[in-house]
Amino acid sequence: LQRCMEQFVDSAEYILCTDMDSFWGRQEVEQIVSIALATQADALAPIQVKREDGRPMFTLPGTLDKPPGGSTELNMEWFGEVVQEVDSAHFGCTLISTRALKRTPKPWFQDHPGADGRYESGRIDADIWFWRQFRKAGNRVYITPRVTIGHGEWVAVWPGKDLRTPVFQYVGEYTEKGKPKTAWSVGQS
């Protein structure tokens, strides 16, 4: 992603980063561009949720390096604003100012394993590294609650016990638990 961004950092005002598993259309992009121009955002992302989870993919200010325990609740007024500053966002359909990129120290993307050398607990993913570098340069990251985009998920579809009703299962659940008990199987009662 850094190599691609570097190709355009000197010839464009903004770079639109997208993921192959994100669902958005022209209307969402037009809204993001309009809001970014009106607010002079260094980076602006719509609301997108995590796969198999449903939680929005952003971190509130002050929580990227010190995540709160449990859950966080936001009042409805928070969602009524055009933009909200956050510590990190996603790259599903995110507009980034090239002026801000030029201020950002490189490498822009780098992942680090946890203290045990594994990419489990304590790791730093490349996208989180990017947002830390971006904010360290004095850039501001925003979410717009006015725009939402979809996030593709892989699901397994099993024949139901009646062979008419499909049974849907997230891939993560299959990996953890195996075939669902509500799926068709020979010798079922």
Side-chain angles (χ1 to χ4, degrees):
L1 187 54
Q2 179 174 325
R3 286 191 309 262
C4 184
M5 292 169 128
E6 287 173 329
Q7 290 178 34
F8 300 100
V9 75
D10 291 322
S11 61
E13 284 186 56
Y14 289 92
I15 294 174
L16 182 66
C17 297
T18 63
D19 282 342
M20 65 171 217
D21 63 348
S22 295
F23 291 81
W24 46 267
R26 179 179 178 163
Q27 179 179 350
E28 286 80 15
V29 172
E30 288 174 349
Q31 289 175 304
I32 292 165
V33 170
S34 296
I35 293 168
L37 290 172
T39 61
Q40 292 296 295
D42 293 322
L44 180 66
I47 291 182
Q48 184 178 36
V49 297
K50 292 181 177 187
R51 269 185 240 92
E52 298 187 30
D53 184 309
R55 289 181 293 166
M57 295 193 312
F58 62 84
T59 53
L60 293 170
T63 65
L64 185 58
D65 293 318
K66 295 177 261 168
S71 63
T72 302
E73 291 188 25
L74 297 169
N75 60 37
M76 287 308 292
E77 289 78 27
W78 191 94
F79 293 95
E81 297 297 323
V82 176
V83 295
Q84 289 286 0
E85 189 169 0
V86 294
D87 276 354
S88 71
H90 54 79
F91 289 93
C93 186
T94 298
L95 196 66
I96 301 175
S97 159
T98 54
R99 282 189 335 263
L101 274 177
K102 289 176 186 177
R103 292 189 295 261
T104 305
K106 293 179 185 175
W108 291 337
F109 298 91
Q110 186 173 355
D111 51 337
H112 297 274
D116 62 359
R118 300 179 63 222
Y119 287 90
E120 298 296 330
S121 180
R123 76 182 183 279
I124 300 171
D125 292 331
D127 58 342
I128 298 302
W129 172 271
F130 174 84
W131 294 119
R132 284 181 175 160
Q133 293 292 91
F134 193 78
R135 290 189 54 79
K136 183 164 73 171
N139 298 317
R140 293 169 52 178
V141 183
Y142 295 92
I143 288 288
T144 176
R146 305 270 172 104
V147 184
T148 61
I149 63 171
H151 204 172
E153 298 202 46
W154 282 94
V155 296
V157 182
W158 301 89
K161 290 193 179 282
D162 63 3
L163 291 178
R164 281 188 232 107
T165 308
V167 175
F168 298 94
Q169 181 184 39
Y170 288 127
V171 172
E173 182 183 322
Y174 173 74
T175 302
E176 188 178 311
K177 298 178 181 177
K179 183 177 172 179
K181 295 189 181 352
T182 55
W184 169 267
S185 63
V186 176
Q188 66 182 6
S189 49

